[in-house]
Structures are given as structure tokens and as C-alpha cells.
Amino acid sequence: MDTWKRRVVLYVAFLGTVITFTAITYRWGMRVFENDPRTLIESFQFAIEMFTTTGFGGDAADWQSQEMHAFIAVMDLVGMVLLIGALPVVATPLLESAFSTTVPRSLQDDVTGHVVVCSDTTRSDALLDEFKSEGVPYVVVEPDPDRALVLYENGHRVVRADPETTAGLEGARLGSARALVTDVSDRVDASIVLAAKELSTDVRAISVVEDPSRERYHRLAGADEVLSPRSLLGESLASKVTTAVRTDLDEAVAIGESLRIAEVSIHHGSGLAGSTLAGSRIGERTGVDVIGAWFNGAFEAAPSPDATLSAGTVLLVSGTEEQVERLVDLTNSAARRFGAGETVVVGYGQVGKTVADALRDADLPVTVVDREAGEAVDVVGDATDPEMLRAAGVADARTVVLALPDDTTAQFATLVVRDLAPNVELLARVADPESVPKMHRAGADYVLSLSLVTGRMSASAVLTDRDVLSLDTHVEVVRSETPTLVGRTVGEAAVRERTGCTVIAIERGDELVTDVGPETRIERGDELVVVGTDEEVRAFERAFA
């Protein structure tokens, strides 16, 4: 029985007992003290009139004894307490139930081909944003009533149910879904996958693990794909430390045999840092076209020529492999080109361990700092303690990687590291995407959000028809026929002005047209290769596809 129903039943039973006691006692008192007997029905009528505050009938004039006056006074107080108590027990829950929003326990519409997301976590916002931007229907299965209500009132499709049960997943119509994504905890995720496969063996189950060593058990449970975002995040941070591990070119998207689209970071100590986009003469020196750039974590399409480049700026460019390689060499500092130097990894969780292992595999010197002693930990101490960081060699390091699980601690540690070593290259991970701009303001050169990487990985596992530049950004490359633009030039179509996307190439039969300008005319059968953020790509598809 629900809590509210149980409270109402107990209250009604208690109220009936008190009324019965009052009626019997009143009948006895009137006979003994007033010598004026009442029938049982008359006594019950008196008790009900008193507790409902409708009066005492004509009995008030018949009370002469002190005992009866005292009894009536006490019962008046009891009646008031019962009346006040009825408000929170009965009236308030009834009103709240009548006027509050109720989260459904099963899907109310006929949605199919949706994604079942289990359940609402600190990382699910990024995933839901991905599905929203892609126009993919989804339903969140959330057992907690408060969190389910918040999601429901924010416009998400939600089912309040336990995702570890077949009944809960059946309420989300798992049988007609395109996939299930679960990211709660390693043990709970395995339980959810087991329940999902019991209900439907055909549904594609995607689970997220915090500890990569547990991937085997998720696959034994029936998971079709197991993602380890912490490991990927660590590998991405490691790739930024030195070109000996991986260059920016490795993440480039190939268009045809010659054209590449890549994100290239400007590293601390690069000759480009401090110059404007026009003053850097990037196009003249390398031959690439700058499509957009991230400044302090915010993306700008077609940045202004007066935009200032700094350490941590990420350029989105297109060009041949040789052209992009020239830009990569130009954006690296002398230290990165001629020697990696010492790297200090602060925090030795899954992310920090992945970074340190990658650097060791590349035969690069690394110092590991953590609060807890361990075999691979070189310095034990607080990440925000300047003396401890100085002892770890931060002041003389080429690169510092902050792999701390708490965003607030990471922000403070960034301030301390930047004060100790103004010229060090500072890379960091955070949990919340909202912490990214804070980290940049604190002095970090490159920041990755675990939530964003997790959401991007999960969405990419579901959506297999799009090229994604990297899992830590929201930039896509799509190929699309645009019959409405046949016979018009790119300039006449005003693609960038209307959608923010950039047309970087046209696939025309077996030919790839890379020299695309405002005068390039679109022919029948052409496939436009465009690049833009998720929102810009959706705008392009709505306008032209």
C-alpha cells in the first residue's frame, strides 16, 4: 500500500476510535453527573457535531457539573488537533495529487525506433543533448521519483520505472526500440543488460564501464558494445602531450583521397600564440582553409581575421594531408618538436593511469602524483599544495596533466600550477561540461569533459551514419544531396549565412571538387560535403536536404 494511503487508513481508524470513545464517555457523563441520560445515537451525534465544529446542538445548556465542563473542554482541544492533523495527512496530499505533475510509468505514445536510456546520471545530459540535436527519439527510464519528475517537467520523454526489471523496460517499449544505452554503474549496467536481453535478444545493448577490466562481464551479460570513456579521455589527453604519441592529424576525417578535415591545437610555446588569425598568415604558410575555431572552449564558425590565437585555441581546418601536417608542425612549440621533456600527471585514477601508461609506452618521462601511495605513484600529496607540486617538478615540467575526479579541486589546482609554472602546457579533465570555460579562465590550455566524451561515445555507438571529428567536440561532417539548390551557386544559396555550415567540397560522380567558392554552381547529382556543429548541420538539413 502506498505511504499516503496507509496514512489515511490509520488516520481514519484513529478518528473513528476517538469519536466512539467520546460518544460513550459523553453518554456515561450525562447519566452520572447530570442525571440526564442520552441514547447512543444522540451521543454519537454530539461527538460528530463537536469534531466537525458544527456545534453541540441543544446540549450546552444542560451542562451543570464541573466534570462535564472539563470533559467538553478537553475534547474541544482534541477535536482541534484532529482537524489540524487532517490537513497534512489527507487534504494536502489530495491537493498535491490533483494539481501536481505525474510521471507516466509506461510510454503513452506510439513511438518506435527510439533509444532507451537507463537512467538519469550526471553524464546523461550530454547524451540526451546528442539525441536531441540528431532528432533521435528517446525515453529515459528513471526509478527515482524526484529525478524523473525534473526530467519530465524539462520536456524529456520519461518512464518512472526500475530499469533492472523486465517490467520497467517493457514499459519503455524496449522491444520496438533501436537501442538501449545504460550508464549507471558497472554492476547495475550489467543487471540492466541482462534484463534487456531477457525481454528482447534483438535490441542493441550499449553499456558504459568505469573500469575497463569489467568489459568482459558486460559482454557475458549480453552487451553488444561496451564503452570505456575514461580510457578514451585519458588517451585523448595523452595524445595532446607530444607528437610522439599521436599527432592531431590522426583524428582527421578523410574526404576523398586528398582532402582532410582536422582539429589542430595551438600548443603553449607555439609561434602562433598571441597573433591574430590574419597576422598568423596560416593560409599562406600552410595552404589550409580555416573553417572555424574553439576559443576557450566556445566554437566560432568562420572566425574574424582579428581573432586572437592563444595556447589552447583549436583550429578546424581543411586541406591536403601535407598541408595539415605543415600546420601541425607550425602549431607545436619548439619543445614539442625537439623533445617532450617531463610530464607530471596529477591524479592516478582510471584517466590518470591511462595517460601515464600511454606516455610510458612512448618511452617518455612521467611523474605521477596522487593522494594515495601506490606502486606507480612517485609523489604523494594534495593536488592543490604548491610545495607538493613544486617537489613533483611542476615548475620545470613541459606539460602537466590534471586527471582529478573533482572539478572544484581541478580548478583550484589549475590556478596553483599556472602560478608555479606560467609557461607550462596544462591539460585537464573535468566531469561537468560547465566546468570547461572555468578551467580555461583558470589557465588550462586544453580541457576535456567526461560527460561530453561519454555522451558523444554513446551517441556515436547508436548513430553510425555520421562522421565525427572527435568525441570531445560537437562538429560533424556530412554528405548530402541538395536538389533544391541545383542550378544555384554556393554564394546564391548562402549556406553559411543561413545555417552556419561550411561547404568544403562537392562529390560529383567520381570527381571530388575541393576548390569550392561563392561562384561554384551546384549540379544535379552533386553531394555537398559540409562541416558544422550539430545544430548547424541540423539547420542545413532542414533548409536544403
Side-chain angles (χ1 to χ4, degrees):
M1 187 182 297
D2 291 342
T3 302
W4 176 76
K5 292 180 180 179
R6 183 170 61 252
R7 288 164 58 190
V8 170
V9 169
L10 291 175
Y11 179 82
V12 171
F14 178 71
L15 182 62
T17 302
V18 173
I19 290 176
T20 301
F21 169 79
T22 302
I24 294 174
T25 305
Y26 179 74
R27 185 186 185 202
W28 175 81
M30 289 299 291
R31 178 173 56 82
V32 173
F33 297 113
E34 302 295 345
N35 196 25
D36 188 3
R38 294 288 190 273
T39 65
L40 187 60
I41 295 299
E42 291 173 335
S43 299
F44 268 104
Q45 180 184 7
F46 160 79
I48 293 172
E49 287 177 342
M50 182 178 72
F51 286 132
T52 56
T53 69
T54 57
F56 305 114
D59 285 4
D62 298 331
W63 301 329
Q64 303 297 324
S65 66
Q66 295 298 311
E67 290 84 358
M68 285 305 296
H69 279 292
F71 172 74
I72 297 300
V74 170
M75 297 316 297
D76 278 341
L77 293 175
V78 172
M80 183 60 66
V81 170
L82 289 174
L83 180 63
I84 295 174
L87 292 176
V89 173
V90 180
T92 301
L94 280 174
L95 292 173
E96 288 178 348
S97 177
F99 294 102
S100 64
T101 304
T102 302
V103 181
R105 293 185 177 273
S106 62
L107 277 178
Q108 304 298 309
D109 48 16
D110 297 327
V111 63
T112 58
H114 56 291
V115 180
V116 178
V117 179
C118 309
S119 52
D120 181 40
T121 68
T122 56
R123 299 178 296 274
S124 60
D125 286 346
L127 175 61
L128 300 185
D129 288 343
E130 290 285 340
F131 288 147
K132 272 188 173 181
S133 67
E134 296 286 349
V136 175
Y138 63 86
V139 57
V140 181
V141 182
E142 173 54 54
D144 184 84
D146 294 331
R147 290 162 70 177
L149 180 60
V150 170
L151 284 171
Y152 189 70
E153 291 181 338
N154 286 336
H156 298 285
R157 186 183 283 112
V158 185
V159 168
R160 182 187 161 194
D162 185 356
E164 293 186 65
T165 64
T166 55
L169 295 177
E170 195 169 18
R173 293 185 189 166
L174 183 69
S176 59
R178 66 189 296 179
L180 173 140
V181 178
T182 176
D183 178 20
V184 182
S185 69
D186 288 356
R187 294 183 180 181
V188 173
D189 290 345
S191 175
I192 292 173
V193 171
L194 287 169
K197 290 301 181 178
E198 180 180 347
L199 189 62
S200 174
T201 56
D202 296 330
V203 70
R204 189 158 176 261
I206 301 165
S207 65
V208 177
V209 294
E210 297 183 6
D211 184 353
S213 65
R214 294 178 175 176
E215 175 181 345
R216 168 181 172 81
Y217 307 112
H218 282 231
R219 293 199 180 276
L220 288 174
D224 299 284
E225 189 159 356
V226 183
L227 309 176
S228 180
R230 282 177 170 79
S231 296
L232 177 67
L233 192 148
E235 293 168 3
S236 298
L237 288 175
S239 73
K240 303 300 179 182
V241 174
T242 174
T243 54
V245 179
R246 186 175 65 186
T247 67
D248 300 78
L249 187 60
D250 291 325
E251 295 180 348
V253 172
I255 307 297
E257 296 182 359
S258 59
L259 189 63
R260 299 289 184 272
I261 303 171
E263 296 165 344
V264 181
S265 304
I266 297 178
H267 298 280
H268 207 89
S270 167
L272 296 180
S275 65
T276 64
L277 184 59
S280 67
R281 299 172 47 246
I282 288 175
E284 299 174 29
R285 297 166 68 182
T286 66
V288 301
D289 291 323
V290 178
I291 303 170
W294 281 264
F295 298 98
N296 294 328
F299 181 74
E300 290 186 20
S304 167
D306 297 328
T308 300
L309 306 178
S310 61
T313 298
V314 181
L315 301 174
L316 178 62
V317 301
S318 64
T320 65
E321 185 170 340
E322 293 76 14
Q323 290 170 339
V324 176
E325 284 179 341
R326 285 197 291 269
L327 177 61
V328 169
D329 186 63
L330 192 62
T331 56
N332 286 333
S333 66
R336 282 171 57 93
R337 285 194 296 268
F338 302 118
E342 184 80 12
T343 299
V344 179
V345 177
V346 183
Y348 200 63
Q350 183 59 47
V351 174
K353 183 178 184 301
T354 302
V355 174
D357 289 346
L359 297 178
R360 293 190 186 105
D361 290 342
D363 293 325
L364 298 176
V366 58
T367 300
V368 176
V369 179
D370 197 68
R371 294 185 65 94
E372 304 292 335
E375 183 179 347
V377 176
D378 302 299
V379 180
V380 179
D382 185 353
T384 61
D385 181 4
E387 295 305 318
M388 187 279 298
L389 292 174
R390 187 177 285 110
V394 165
D396 300 319
R398 298 286 188 186
T399 307
V400 174
V401 180
L402 297 179
L404 300 168
D406 179 68
D407 289 2
T408 302
T409 303
Q411 292 161 18
F412 197 88
T414 300
L415 296 170
V416 176
V417 170
R418 186 55 72 199
D419 181 57
L420 289 173
N423 296 320
V424 75
E425 185 177 38
L426 182 53
L427 316 176
R429 62 143 283 185
V430 293
D432 190 348
E434 294 184 0
S435 297
V436 172
K438 290 184 181 180
M439 292 293 289
H440 280 294
R441 285 195 295 272
D445 296 311
Y446 184 79
V447 185
L448 281 178
S449 163
L450 178 62
S451 296
L452 192 58
V453 170
T454 304
R456 199 65 166 170
M457 284 185 74
S458 302
S460 296
V462 175
L463 310 169
T464 58
D465 57 346
R466 297 193 180 274
D467 288 325
V468 179
L469 283 174
S470 61
L471 293 171
D472 54 294
T473 59
H474 283 275
V475 174
E476 294 181 0
V477 181
V478 297
R479 299 165 175 83
S480 176
E481 288 193 23
T482 54
T484 60
L485 297 182
V486 172
R488 301 167 65 184
T489 65
V490 173
E492 290 171 347
V495 173
R496 177 175 287 180
E497 291 78 3
R498 293 179 60 182
T499 68
C501 288
T502 301
V503 181
I504 59 170
I506 297 177
E507 292 186 349
R508 184 170 292 161
D510 296 332
E511 179 188 3
L512 180 67
V513 180
T514 58
D515 186 15
V516 179
E519 303 304 320
T520 304
R521 193 168 299 278
I522 301 168
E523 301 178 4
R524 188 172 303 279
D526 283 355
E527 277 195 342
L528 271 62
V529 181
V530 299
V531 61
T533 62
D534 292 339
E535 293 77 11
E536 291 167 350
V537 170
R538 299 294 82 70
F540 173 83
E541 292 175 336
R542 288 192 299 268
F544 304 119

